[in-house]
Amino acid sequence: MTKPFIVAIDGPSGAGKSTLGRRLARELGLLYIDTGAMYRAVALAAAEAGVSDTDAEGLAGVARRASIRLEGDPDSLRVFLDGRDVSAEIRGEAAGRGASVVSTVPEVRRELVRRQRELGRDGEGCVLDGRDIGTVVFPAADVKFFLTAVPEARARRRLGEERERSAGRTFEGTLADINERDRRDATRDDSPLRIADDAVVIDTTELSVEEVFQSMLRTVRDRRGGADRGGDEP
Ligand code: C5P
């Protein structure tokens, strides 16, 4: 059996990880794993159980007990929490903010990283998007990307995506929220957001989705060609 082909995509929110991760997974016929959705689901479960943001032990228990399933194609991925479809709910502002907080708890991370490794090892391979994929979850990933963009561009994109869901959001509010999440992700003690030494860094500020996609696809094909030849030939 050939070893699964792993593509890691890390970077701050709004850099294009999920749009590009889905497209790459679809194009390459790989599984797509949205690790942020898992942290969001834990945040939702904690809020529903009345566990406070500051109760690390309580949050760890919620993470361990939560059944989280990701189902469907990259483009129509559904997220189930304890059997309930929470795909829409976890996209809200509250779950996003909650995820940014619960993800600072080491026991929560340990539990979700363990599950992400299990999911990733299954099958032919996968594209995972998150903050610590290339540094912690799969440090030996076949290809690592770090997508970034200036905060103003990321805030503009996020506002566009959230317009239907959160009427009344302003650019300034979204930018402040992005800056706050960046700060929390970059400064937490456990698995802070950082660029893996061997990651391909792409600043998407001035690039179209298509340009970034083609560049990522070329990189993956180069590596995959090499990996396939190395793995399959006698
Ligand atoms: O990517 P998304 O915005 O859905 O992630 C929600 C939050 O979960 C992020 O702001 C980040 O704090 C956290 N996260 C993380 N590690 C991951 C994925 C997400 O800490 N691998």
Side-chain angles (χ1 to χ4, degrees):
M1 206 181 83
T2 45
K3 132 179 142 36
F5 188 84
I6 307 279
V7 179
I9 308 182
D10 290 305
S13 46
K17 300 185 301 294
S18 116
T19 305
L20 287 146
R22 284 169 207 271
R23 258 188 94 171
L24 265 187
R26 182 164 28 114
E27 179 74 23
L28 300 164
L30 299 176
L31 194 69
Y32 168 69
I33 302 176
D34 177 355
T35 65
M38 299 171 77
Y39 288 94
R40 285 169 182 262
V42 169
L44 180 63
E48 288 178 346
V51 175
S52 125
D53 277 0
T54 52
D55 176 5
E57 219 169 288
L59 293 173
V62 168
R64 279 194 292 269
R65 284 190 300 275
S67 147
I68 303 169
R69 279 185 296 122
L70 305 178
E71 278 183 15
D73 306 332
D75 293 315
S76 53
L77 193 77
R78 312 299 301 172
V79 182
F80 292 86
L81 171 64
D82 297 325
R84 175 165 59 104
D85 186 343
V86 294
S87 315
E89 249 172 295
I90 59 164
R91 291 298 142 206
E93 267 308 296
R97 206 167 307 115
S100 163
V101 174
V102 303
S103 66
T104 62
V105 177
E107 291 74 16
V108 171
R109 301 201 70 83
R110 202 168 312 134
E111 175 62 23
L112 295 190
V113 166
R114 185 184 65 74
R115 297 188 194 189
Q116 288 154 18
R117 287 182 179 145
E118 261 175 33
L119 288 171
R121 285 195 192 111
D122 231 22
E124 229 185 284
C126 61
V127 176
L128 297 102
D129 108 43
R131 305 291 189 289
D132 59 342
I133 310 301
T135 51
V136 175
V137 184
F138 284 108
D142 296 274
V143 191
K144 298 179 189 178
F145 292 106
F146 190 93
L147 300 188
T148 185
V150 298
E152 290 74 13
R154 295 190 281 116
R156 254 193 315 276
R157 289 176 194 160
R158 173 134 289 180
L159 198 60
E161 280 167 18
E162 289 182 349
R163 187 141 284 152
E164 297 115 59
R165 284 191 294 272
S166 12
R169 294 279 294 164
T170 62
F171 176 76
E172 288 71 24
T174 307
L175 181 60
D177 188 49
I178 287 234
N179 283 329
E180 173 58 17
R181 279 197 215 174
D182 284 358
R183 190 197 55 73
R184 213 179 278 133
D185 284 343
T187 57
R188 67 177 171 230
D189 292 331
D190 188 344
S191 320
L193 175 66
R194 68 172 186 82
I195 306 176
D197 295 336
D198 49 351
V200 175
V201 181
I202 305 178
D203 184 333
T204 67
T205 307
E206 304 284 345
L207 300 174
S208 67
V209 170
E210 191 57 31
E211 285 170 314
V212 182
F213 174 64
Q214 291 302 334
S215 153
M216 291 172 88
L217 194 57
R218 270 195 304 277
T219 305
V220 172
R221 290 210 160 121
D222 281 355
R223 305 266 177 99
R224 205 182 192 189
D228 287 350
R229 277 195 300 279
D232 292 341
E233 296 211 344

